[in-house]
DNA sequence: CTGAAAGCGCTTACAG
DNA sequence: CTGAAAGCGCTTACAG
């Protein structure tokens, strides 16, 4: 009677608990728990009565409470730079797939390339006691995470390395990919090659610049510092950098774009430029083959990056405690036309 | 002494609790709670001792436990079709931004367009007691959600309507956008216009087809059923549909592509086609202006879709309990070239 | 096969 | 200003 009253007078927002189900079914709390979790040792008749009560009350187990008692939350956090960046879409999906296959939920957040925001978000995830973290770092100092990792929150960094902390890392071969790109342009006759990259504190930008320099040096070519521009990837900045390199008496005859956002703006600038200029971009993207000329790129396997990182994370959660690893995913040069344009006569 | 022992002998994976902090600081549990939550009524000296204990032990409040007691989880779920689809990137980010501004975390998951998977994921989120849900539905029957909504989980559907349930919905104007697209092609002289869309059970596909038919009828044009093809947006299927429409003695002279995935494949097919064919695509995408010809599209404002849905969700969480709303976000036709190609002489 | 008690780590409602 | 007790909704460890 009072059960029914409680059931129907329940105000909006209050849910029945196992205790309510137990009362209605006339059994103990533990018996309800057994039925809900499919544990053995319940007679069919008892089970049926409990099931009826569950249905009648619209009971759904509160996993937050369960989690508190069990210790593991069956959730992992993914912190990336921008949820809207198409480069991270496949990575995000790959991490989700792996999480799903391990029965874990995925909590997602963006750092917006702001170290403070990254830390705030990561620590909020730790406070929720996620089992593990996959982080595309914006910060270059992750000592703030040391106590969390020591306390058992598995952490894998992806796309960029961790700063001042020894942790698992999964990276693309930015250095090798950049070397390939620049060597490709040199092989097509270019001697004055510009590089427009992301902010220098970002590891991938730094590595790609290093690959650029190494390839130039290996070919015995000088690098004029006016050919190199690192900074924010906002269209205005990239546009102005490209315009500068393409002007003057000794303009660059080819551009190497440090990531997908730079490439997009470079393509726009070059479309309006009077002379043909070769272009190779880091990162592949949709329709790169349909632009005219089709865009030659160094493709990263973003899905593989995400999958590898997530698999490593769950291996840690399963108890693997060998030394932190640094894994490198190869890149692939895809010639499509823009990277094979010869130098314009000047 | 025993505090220190407990502190240092703590095995990997076990974290200090407020009780540990209280013991070490020589204060009561509630005092620790006050300090951690910045509540008033603690002398500076006591506060300092507690802070010291927190730092020494590496304490971080367990928000899972806090949540259990407080009722609200400060987290919302976003269920979409595919985390890697660039269309959903801006939507995802917009939802995250709104969540963040309300101090909530975002749990993300993909349905992979599978109704069973959607339901499984949504109910898992309900079991975690997310405060609210933003759902891009794959299913067409959401009665399974009624008990959860009644129990207080705010729910907003976005991009597609809820099925068999009365709930808040935020949609793009698919019908109007499709009408605009087809009217545009008709205005440029086309009479035989093909429509390739997503699976008919998807609401947006259905609405866009309706817009197509309405525009044709309004112009007094007949619709040959061979000009309409709905189905999966896999490249092979779209390619074969397009190829069929473009063959024969009376081929279509223009195509209306029902979403971004269809458009991409259509562009590829048309690039290899001997005669010029006009194309308007639903959804804008990066570099649409750099393909040759540049692609005329009906652009949706995905970010606004997400922002509107999330804002509505938090308004519900703040107590707004007026009748479920249906909000429509306008689309915008962007002429770029491909949609202004005149019909080829046949 | 079944259930009462204790406890997960916090907050709430009170009392001093 | 401070803290002991009860409780959030479950699971664990036991006892019957």
């Amino acid at each position: 009677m009072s059960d029914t009253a409680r059931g129907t007078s329940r105000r909006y927002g209050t849910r029945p608990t196992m205790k309510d189900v137990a009362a209605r079914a006339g059994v103990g709390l533990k018996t309800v728990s057994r039925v809900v979790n499919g544990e053995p040792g319940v007679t069919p008749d008892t089970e049926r009565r409990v099931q009826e009560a569950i249905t009648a009350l619209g009971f759904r187990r509160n996993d937050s409470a369960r989690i508190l008692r069990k210790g593991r939350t069956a959730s992992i956090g993914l912190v990336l730079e921008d949820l809207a960046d198409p480069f991270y879409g496949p990575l995000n999906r790959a991490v989700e797939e792996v999480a799903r296959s391990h029965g874990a939920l995925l909590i997602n957040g963006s750092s917006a390339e702001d170290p403070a925001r990254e830390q705030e978000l990561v620590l909020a995830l730790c406070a929720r006691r996620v089992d593990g973290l996959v982080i595309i770092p914006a910060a270059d100092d992750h000592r703030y995470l040391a106590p969390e990792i020591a306390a058992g929150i598995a952490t894998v960094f992806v796309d960029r390395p961790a700063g001042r902390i020894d942790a698992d890392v999964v990276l693309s071969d930015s250095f090798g990919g950049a070397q390939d790109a620049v060597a490709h342009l040199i092989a097509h006759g270019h001697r004055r090659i510009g590089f427009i990259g992301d902010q220098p504190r970002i590891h991938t930008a730094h590595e790609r610049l290093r690959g650029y320099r190494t390839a130039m040096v290996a070919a015995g070519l000088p690098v004029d510092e006016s050919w190199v521009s690192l900074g924010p990837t906002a269209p205005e900045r990239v546009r102005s950098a490209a315009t500068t390199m393409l002007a003057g008496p000794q303009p660059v005859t080819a551009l190497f774009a440090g990531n997908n956002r730079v490439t997009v703006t470079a393509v726009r600038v070059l479309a309006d430029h009077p002379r043909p200029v070769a272009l190779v971009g880091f990162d592949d993207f949709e329709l790169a083959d349909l632009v005219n000329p089709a865009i030659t790129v160094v493709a990263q396997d973003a899905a593989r990056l995400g999958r590898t990182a997530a698999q490593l994370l769950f291996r840690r959660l399963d108890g693997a405690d060998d030394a932190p690893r640094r894994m490198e995913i190869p890149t692939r040069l895809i010639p499509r036309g823009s990277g094979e344009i010869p130098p314009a006569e000047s």
Side-chain angles (χ1 to χ4, degrees), chain A residues 300-325:
Chain A
Q300 297 190 67
D301 193 339
R304 187 169 157 198
L305 272 176
R307 200 182 322 117
T308 305
Q311 284 168 345
L312 182 51
L313 186 76
F314 281 99
R315 214 177 298 137
R316 294 297 184 199
L317 290 175
D318 288 345
D321 60 351
D322 42 298
R325 289 193 203 172

Side-chain angles (χ1 to χ4, degrees), chain A residues 143-156:
Chain A
R143 284 176 295 181
Y144 73 86
L145 255 171
E148 309 301 326
I149 293 174
I153 296 186
T155 304
V156 177

